[in-house]
């Protein structure tokens, strides 16, 4: 699971974990993310995070992904859960 | 977990239970055998609109009539996706399919009403968009001791979506979002407003003795008769 | 408790035999002439803690039998022609996924609705090849009420032993007639149960079999061995595969499973074969008349013998081939237009003449009809057996009977 971008300002509360292998570029997560921090990248249109610090852990991406390719986990600094 | 044939029915291949991928339309009678032979097992049937209401329609209404303690999760994408897009018993009138090139002339089933009328004691409808509500409906369906059916409106962007110009999976999910109403909302809406809407959530929940319970009484009667 | 003589109907004997074999689940659908099996098991199974269910059709019945067997309960269904046709797809599923089960087919006049209350033997090829594709199957044939008791037990044992559906053929006569059965003498019949896996769940490969048996040990659903079954081509893990060599491996194993154990599976009843010049090959209720005719022929100085296959499939090739080297001719009386006669011809390899005898009036062969064919063939042989005067399938006394 790779995470292509973590903001430097403050430790993000949540981590957006994406499996590049399982993502098929359907765009569902991108369209339903209320904070618009997901975008399609490259020829395969695979998803990547633009600004992880804005993630509010609503998990709209996680529950809608048909291929279990995206997951939200609390970052180490934030033991909210 | 028992399934028939079709895109829906590939699901058992991904779960760590005793899983049985049976013949087209026959998941329910296979499941009936399992449940009767071992009532302590929780038996979930995964099926599609074609698998359950076309070739399997007769078994669906009878399993519901018997109120067998089975949970049916029915993926309704209004097409035969595995075989590349033929129309099915839930394809809307006028919609296109590879076998309905001029638009479907038939009336679709309302699966939930059908199941309730046949005798199901728990019926609910969800969609792939309402992915946070759906697990709760399925959970309640499993805990219902009797025939439970959860119809799940799902999207087939490759065939049904493409042929009917509804767009890709994102647009199809948005369509689900905009056309689903809860029971409460529906009660405040006029028939015209409801025309192109469908109700989601729990639609029916009755308590009736399930088949195994009734048959246990028969065993008691039979064994008393030979004492 | 030997000496427990009972007067039983064929279908009743089948039901009681099933219970004796350990059958505790029956799913069926009403159809003449097998309904009595269902009716009796509906009353008897709950008495022994078993379950009966009348399904919505025969397709569902066959499916329910498969499900119950997978959950660990010996299961059976009973039907006749039209229902047997409906069951073929799920019968093929049971064969390919190796689900032990017994399917009783009480044959009646066919095809189609045919003649529900008449005997016939027109389903013997369907019993072998009714479902599509190469598939292992075992088919037995009853010729008496005692058979319907004993062979039901044997059917369960074979199905559990080889994890294969076993079809028990009977017909309207044997199923509906009543005969005395010494149930006590059958008390000691061995009951076989499926072999369970010896390995722990995490090592279990549902379709991995030892080369000696080719039969995978079977873990029942709900016993902690979680695994997958599919009607798609599959490998040892139970999951589907399209790898060519795996596909071939599966088909070859399923074939070997029966082919390499024919000695255990094939049973025939042979009468007066040692010095026979003419051998009658007859199965089911026809064998009853054939035996009487063979004995009468002997009284008249004709060296006739009888081969009665209890196992129809796999076909007793070796026996027929060996007898073909001793006799001048086989006579194969059948209540159809000639089906098993082809197999006899194939197995005889031209070493002996093979003459069919067809009766399609949906009446039982009389001993006289079989005897007249034996005499006709005997006379033909002693007069040089010229091909132009070879007895035909319906020649002789049979022609008179059909008027």
């Amino acid at each position: 699971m790779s995470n292509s971008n973590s903001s430097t300002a403050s430790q993000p509360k949540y981590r957006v974990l994406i499996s590049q292998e399982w993502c098929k570029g359907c765009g569902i997560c991108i369209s339903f993310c209320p904070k618009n921090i997901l975008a399609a990248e490259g020829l395969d249109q695979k998803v990547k995070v633009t600004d992880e610090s804005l993630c509010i852990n609503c998990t709209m991406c996680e529950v809608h992904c048909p291929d279990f390719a995206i997951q939200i986990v609390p970052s180490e600094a934030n033991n909210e859960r | 977990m028992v399934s028939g044939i079709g895109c829906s029915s590939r699901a058992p291949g991904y779960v760590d239970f005793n899983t049985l991928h049976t013949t087209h339309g026959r998941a329910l009678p296979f499941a009936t055998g399992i449940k009767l032979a071992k009532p302590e097992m929780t038996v979930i049937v995964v099926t599609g609109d074609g698998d359950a209401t076309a070739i399997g329609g007769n078994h669906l209404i009878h399993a519901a009539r018997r109120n067998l303690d089975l949970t049916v999760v029915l993926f309704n994408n209004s097409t035969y996706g595995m075989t590349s897009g033929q129309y099915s018993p839930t394809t809307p009138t006028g919609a296109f399919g590879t076998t309905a090139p001029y638009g479907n002339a038939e009336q679709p089933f309302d699966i939930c009403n059908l199941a309730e009328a046949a005798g199901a004691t728990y019926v609910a409808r969800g969609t792939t968009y309402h992915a946070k509500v759906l697990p709760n409906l399925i959970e309640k369906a499993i805990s219902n001791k009797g025939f439970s059916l959860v119809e799940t409106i799902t999207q087939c962007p490759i065939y049904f979506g493409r042929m009917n110009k509804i767009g890709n999976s994102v647009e199809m999910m948005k369509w689900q979002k905009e056309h689903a109403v809860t029971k409460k909302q529906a009660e405040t809406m006029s028939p015209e407003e409801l025309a192109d809407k469908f109700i989601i959530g729990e639609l029916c929940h009755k308590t009736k003795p399930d088949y195994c319970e009734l048959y246990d009484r028969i065993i008691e009667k039979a064994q008393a008769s030979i004492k | 408790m030997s000496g427990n003589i009972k007067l039983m109907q064929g279908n009743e004997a089948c039901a009681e035999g099933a219970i004796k074999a350990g059958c505790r689940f029956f799913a069926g659908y009403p159809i003449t002439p097998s309904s009595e099996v269902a009716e009796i098991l509906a009353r008897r199974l709950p008495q022994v803690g078993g379950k009966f269910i009348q399904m919505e059709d025969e397709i569902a019945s066959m499916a329910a039998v498969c499900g119950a067997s997978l959950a660990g309960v010996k299961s059976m269904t009973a039907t006749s022609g039209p229902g047997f046709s409906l069951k073929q797809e799920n019968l093929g599923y049971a064969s390919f996924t190796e689900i032990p089960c017994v399917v009783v087919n009480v044959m009646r006049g066919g095809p189609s609705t045919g003649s529900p209350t008449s005997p016939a033997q027109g389903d013997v090829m369907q019993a072998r090849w009714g479902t599509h594709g190469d598939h292992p199957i075992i088919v037995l044939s009853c010729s008496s009420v005692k058979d319907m008791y004993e062979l039901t037990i044997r059917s369960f044992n074979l199905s559990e032993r080889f994890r294969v559906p076993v079809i028990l053929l009977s017909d309207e006569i044997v199923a509906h007639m009543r005969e005395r059965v010494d149930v006590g003498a059958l008390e000691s019949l061995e009951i076989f149960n499926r072999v369970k896996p010896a390995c722990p769940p995490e090592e279990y490969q549902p379709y991995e079999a030892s080369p000696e048996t080719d039969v995978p040990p079977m873990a029942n659903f709900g016993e902690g061995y979680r695994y997958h079954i599919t009607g798609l081509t599959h490998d040892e893990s139970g999951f589907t595969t399209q790898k060519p060599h795996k596909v071939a491996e599966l088909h070859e194993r399923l074939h070997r499973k029966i082919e390499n154990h024919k000695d255990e599976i094939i049973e025939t009843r042979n009468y007066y074969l040692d010095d026979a010049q003419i051998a009658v090959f007859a199965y089911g209720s026809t064998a009853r008349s054939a035996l009487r005719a063979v004995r009468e022929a002997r009284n008249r100085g004709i060296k006739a013998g009888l081969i009665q296959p209890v196992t129809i499939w796999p076909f007793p090739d070796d026996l027929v081939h060996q007898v073909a080297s001793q006799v001048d001719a086989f006579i194969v009386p059948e209540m159809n237009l000639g089906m098993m006669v082809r197999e006899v011809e194939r197995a005889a390899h031209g070493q002996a003449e093979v003459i069919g005898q067809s009766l399609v009036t949906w009446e039982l062969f009389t001993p006289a009809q079989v005897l007249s064919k034996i005499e006709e063939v005997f006379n033909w042989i002693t007069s040089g057996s010229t091909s132009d005067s070879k007895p035909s399938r319906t020649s002789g006394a049979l022609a008179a009977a059909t008027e």
Side-chain angles (χ1 to χ4, degrees):
Chain A
M1 293 288 240
S2 76
N3 156 38
S4 60
N5 166 17
S6 65
S7 71
T8 51
S10 67
Q11 183 62 344
K13 287 178 72 180
Y14 301 101
R15 306 280 316 290
V16 180
L17 303 181
I18 296 165
S19 156
Q20 291 302 325
E21 205 194 351
W22 286 12
C23 170
K24 64 187 179 206
C26 69
I28 285 176
C29 58
I30 295 167
S31 68
F32 289 122
C33 171
K35 306 302 282 181
N36 294 319
I37 61 166
L38 298 173
E41 183 187 48
L43 198 61
D44 302 340
Q45 292 291 283
K46 298 219 174 192
V47 65
K48 74 172 174 55
V49 194
T50 53
D51 184 348
E52 196 168 42
S53 66
L54 298 178
C55 173
I56 57 170
N57 186 30
C58 70
T59 68
M60 283 293 271
C61 56
E62 185 176 323
V63 298
H64 285 114
C65 175
D67 294 85
F68 307 104
I70 190 165
Q71 206 179 11
I72 307 301
V73 293
S75 61
E76 299 73 33
N78 155 27
N79 38 39
E80 191 183 286
R81 271 199 269 195
Chain B
M1 180 180 281
V2 185
S3 71
I5 296 292
C7 300
S8 64
S9 297
R10 299 188 69 255
Y14 300 93
V15 293
D16 186 15
F17 308 141
N18 277 128
T19 53
L20 188 61
H21 182 210
T22 70
T23 46
H24 191 34
R26 320 300 176 187
L28 270 166
F30 273 89
T32 301
I34 294 171
K35 188 66 185 181
L36 284 172
K38 198 165 270 186
E40 61 274 23
M41 287 189 86
T42 300
V43 181
I44 298 166
V45 173
V46 172
T47 179
D49 45 297
D51 190 66
T53 69
I55 187 168
N58 193 29
H59 310 307
L60 177 65
I61 55 177
H62 287 278
R65 175 179 61 80
R66 295 190 187 100
N67 195 28
L68 283 152
D69 183 14
L70 300 172
T71 301
V72 178
V73 179
L74 192 152
F75 296 31
N76 180 7
N77 60 1
S78 301
T79 188
Y80 282 90
M82 176 77 75
T83 43
S84 62
Q86 294 77 15
Y87 77 97
S88 86
T90 58
T91 301
T93 308
F96 296 99
T98 54
T99 44
Y102 306 107
N104 175 27
E106 300 173 10
Q107 294 293 327
F109 274 135
D110 177 323
I111 293 174
C112 289
N113 283 347
L114 182 68
E116 185 178 348
T121 47
Y122 180 89
V123 179
R125 179 182 293 120
T127 83
T128 40
Y129 174 72
H130 299 87
K132 294 202 170 185
V133 171
L134 194 53
N136 310 335
L137 299 177
I138 293 175
E139 208 176 322
K140 284 187 76 180
I142 292 172
S143 56
N144 171 52
K145 202 158 189 320
F147 191 82
S148 318
L149 183 134
V150 179
E151 176 192 0
T152 312
I153 307 293
T154 60
Q155 72 278 5
C156 171
I158 306 295
Y159 295 110
F160 189 76
R162 181 164 53 83
M163 274 184 273
N164 290 284
K165 300 192 174 35
I166 307 173
N168 63 23
S169 50
V170 172
E171 274 86 23
M172 293 185 84
M173 282 177 118
K174 280 183 180 153
W175 181 88
Q176 289 169 11
K177 181 182 174 186
E178 284 135 19
H179 290 80
V181 293
T182 61
K183 221 173 184 179
K184 278 198 204 59
Q185 286 167 322
E187 276 144 14
T188 66
M189 293 164 71
S190 68
E192 295 71 32
E193 284 169 318
L194 278 173
D196 66 345
K197 301 287 189 298
F198 57 87
I199 297 172
I200 60 170
E202 190 178 295
L203 305 176
C204 139
H205 193 183
K206 305 170 191 155
T207 44
K208 274 197 301 186
D210 74 284
Y211 193 87
C212 288
E213 196 182 317
L214 294 170
Y215 201 87
D216 287 343
R217 294 188 199 142
I218 286 176
I219 291 178
E220 283 156 23
K221 238 184 258 169
Q223 293 183 333
S225 73
I226 52 169
K227 281 231 170 28
Chain C
M1 53 158 194
S2 70
N4 174 2
I5 308 279
K6 278 197 181 147
L7 180 65
M8 295 168 98
Q9 184 196 53
N11 281 336
E12 180 191 1
C14 175
E16 292 301 335
I19 290 174
K20 174 72 182 155
C23 169
R24 290 299 179 269
F25 183 82
F26 179 93
Y29 189 80
I31 186 167
T32 302
S34 76
S35 301
E36 292 84 359
V37 179
E39 290 159 357
I40 291 162
L41 287 177
R43 187 169 49 77
R44 288 280 288 125
L45 272 177
Q47 291 175 352
V48 295
K51 289 186 180 170
F52 162 88
I53 184 166
Q54 181 172 292
M55 295 297 282
E56 50 273 19
D57 56 36
E58 286 92 347
I59 300 169
S61 301
M62 190 66 224
V65 160
C66 290
S69 180
L70 284 172
V73 175
K74 288 187 182 180
S75 305
M76 178 171 103
T77 184
T79 190
S80 183
F84 193 46
S85 293
L86 287 176
K87 287 180 171 165
Q88 292 301 324
E89 185 190 359
N90 285 338
L91 192 60
Y93 182 88
S95 175
F96 199 44
T97 56
E98 302 177 86
I99 300 172
C101 58
V102 174
V103 178
V104 178
N105 179 31
V106 180
M107 293 183 282
R108 73 189 209 179
S112 182
T113 312
S115 178
T117 54
S118 308
Q121 296 179 310
D123 306 357
V124 286
M125 286 296 171
Q126 180 180 27
R128 175 68 187 89
W129 296 112
T131 194
H132 55 287
D134 288 306
H135 58 276
I137 200 93
I138 295 175
V139 181
L140 308 185
S141 170
C142 297
S143 63
S144 68
V145 170
K146 174 172 177 279
D147 274 355
M148 288 203 79
Y149 186 92
E150 197 177 352
L151 295 184
T152 298
I153 295 170
R154 182 148 164 70
S155 296
F156 271 103
N157 287 344
L158 288 170
S159 79
E160 292 281 318
R161 166 88 179 73
F162 293 100
R163 284 192 64 179
V164 68
V166 174
I167 296 169
L168 183 60
L169 294 178
S170 178
D171 63 56
E172 189 278 328
I173 295 282
V174 175
H176 278 162
M177 73 180 175
R178 283 175 173 72
E179 272 184 320
R180 49 196 296 282
V181 178
D182 182 351
V183 180
L186 300 172
E187 206 48 50
S188 58
L189 281 174
E190 179 236 349
I191 304 295
F192 187 91
N193 296 316
R194 62 194 66 172
V195 173
K196 291 280 185 76
C199 65
E202 54 282 3
E203 288 165 23
Y204 182 54
Q205 290 279 312
Y207 289 103
E208 188 175 42
S210 69
E212 294 75 32
T213 65
D214 281 320
V215 178
M218 184 170 179
N220 300 323
F221 276 14
E223 285 176 356
Y225 286 76
R226 295 193 301 278
Y227 62 95
H228 181 66
I229 292 181
T230 178
L232 288 166
T233 319
H234 45 275
D235 61 22
E236 300 81 359
S237 73
F239 285 93
T240 187
T241 176
Q242 296 300 323
K243 294 194 182 79
H245 69 286
K246 282 292 178 188
V247 172
E249 245 174 61
L250 175 61
H251 282 88
E252 294 294 347
R253 177 174 67 78
L254 292 177
H255 176 70
R256 282 197 314 269
K257 191 169 71 164
I258 304 298
E259 202 55 31
N260 290 359
H261 299 94
K262 286 204 299 196
D263 46 0
E264 240 186 286
I265 297 168
I266 292 179
E267 177 190 345
T268 61
R269 295 174 188 149
N270 306 327
Y271 304 86
Y272 317 108
L273 287 181
D274 300 341
D275 67 344
Q277 187 188 9
I278 295 172
V280 179
F281 182 97
Y283 55 94
S285 50
T286 305
R288 304 169 72 94
S289 308
L291 182 55
R292 176 75 201 291
V294 160
R295 285 186 173 132
E296 189 51 35
R298 288 233 159 221
N299 295 344
R300 301 185 184 190
I302 300 174
K303 291 194 179 67
L306 172 66
I307 299 176
Q308 178 192 344
V310 171
T311 311
I312 301 269
W313 305 102
F315 188 75
D317 283 58
D318 301 342
L319 175 68
V320 170
H321 186 260
Q322 180 232 321
V323 171
S325 64
Q326 298 164 231
V327 300
D328 295 328
F330 285 98
I331 296 172
V332 185
E334 291 177 278
M335 291 189 281
N336 58 47
L337 293 175
M339 292 186 179
M340 295 315 279
V341 61
R342 302 158 184 254
E343 292 299 306
V344 175
E345 214 156 6
R346 177 183 57 77
H349 284 288
Q351 298 173 93
E353 296 288 346
V354 178
I355 296 144
Q357 179 178 15
S358 291
L359 181 64
V360 284
T361 57
W362 302 154
E363 293 160 320
L364 188 57
F365 268 101
T366 63
Q369 284 170 327
V370 181
L371 178 59
S372 76
K373 178 62 77 177
I374 293 174
E375 286 174 329
E376 186 198 352
V377 170
F378 179 74
N379 298 335
W380 173 64
I381 289 171
T382 44
S383 63
S385 61
T386 52
S387 59
D388 55 357
S389 63
K390 181 175 177 183
S392 80
R393 199 168 34 75
T394 55
S395 65
L398 184 65
T402 49
E403 260 120 38

